[in-house]
Amino acid sequence: KEAEHKMVALIDEHEITRKANEKAAEIIEKAQREGKDIRLASYNFTASLLDKVERSVDEIKKTVVASKNELKQ
């Protein structure tokens, strides 16, 4: 009888461990997907900001060149 109880306890413990491992794997997979999504969004956001900076620098350069040309006249 005691051996049966130990066997049932071991089976229950094994099942709990198996379910915990499955849940852990799901959590890790979800975290990795979300991390990838966040990385991609941050790269896109940074690229967008750099495009804006590039346009601003181009406008500033045009203004500087125009100002230099006016000084030459």
Side-chain angles (χ1 to χ4, degrees), residues 3-60:
E4 281 183 34
H5 286 306
K6 284 185 179 181
M7 187 172 65
V8 169
L10 287 173
I11 290 170
D12 286 346
E13 186 177 314
H14 174 72
E15 185 64 17
I16 290 169
T17 302
R18 187 185 65 74
K19 287 183 179 179
N21 285 334
E22 285 178 4
K23 186 65 175 174
E26 290 173 12
I27 290 169
I28 290 169
E29 184 180 326
K30 181 180 178 189
Q32 288 173 336
R33 275 195 319 269
E34 289 176 358
K36 183 179 177 182
D37 291 344
I38 290 169
R39 245 186 333 277
L40 181 59
S42 69
Y43 292 154
N44 290 336
F45 177 72
T46 302
S48 174
L49 286 179
L50 290 173
D51 286 342
K52 289 178 184 179
V53 168
E54 183 178 32
R55 285 191 298 273
S56 294
V57 168
D58 287 344
E59 288 300 314
I60 292 168

